[in-house]
C-alpha cells in the first residue's frame, strides 16, 4: 500500500464564486450591518482606554 507520492496531498481548488446581485433591501441591510460593526469597534476601543469595568480587580483578604 505504498504510494509514489510523498508528503502532503494538495487540496482541491474551489470554483470561483460569482458576484451576487443585490437589490435595495440587501444593500440597506449590508450598510446597516457595516454601521453596527463600526459602532461596536469604536465602543471596544473606548472601553479599552477606560480600563476595567467597575474597578473590581483582585480582592485582598483581611489577613496579613
Amino acid at each position: 500500500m505504498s504510494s509514489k507520492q510523498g508528503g502532503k496531498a494538495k487540496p482541491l481548488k474551489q470554483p470561483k464564486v460569482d458576484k451576487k446581485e443585490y437589490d435595495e433591501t440587501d444593500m440597506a441591510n449590508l450598510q446597516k450591518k457595516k454601521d453596527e460593526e463600526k459602532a461596536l469597534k469604536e465602543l471596544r476601543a473606548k472601553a479599552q482606554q477606560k480600563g476595567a469595568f467597575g474597578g473590581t480587580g483582585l480582592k485582598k483578604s483581611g489577613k496579613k
Side-chain angles (χ1 to χ4, degrees):
M1 287 224 210
S2 64
S3 165
K4 290 185 180 182
Q5 280 184 330
K8 190 174 180 182
K10 290 185 180 180
L12 298 175
K13 288 188 178 180
Q14 300 233 347
K16 291 186 180 180
V17 179
D18 295 332
K19 289 195 174 189
K20 295 180 182 178
E21 296 292 328
Y22 297 114
D23 60 357
E24 291 181 19
T25 56
D26 290 336
M27 291 300 286
N29 287 337
L30 286 172
Q31 186 64 35
K32 184 178 177 184
K33 190 173 181 181
K34 283 182 183 179
D35 291 340
E36 288 176 355
E37 287 177 9
K38 185 177 179 183
L40 190 62
K41 193 173 185 181
E42 289 174 0
L43 285 174
R44 282 188 189 141
K46 198 175 203 181
Q48 285 181 347
Q49 289 175 352
K50 285 188 176 181
F53 286 101
T56 57
L58 295 173
K59 293 187 177 182
K60 296 182 180 179
S61 65
K63 298 179 183 177
K64 288 189 178 182

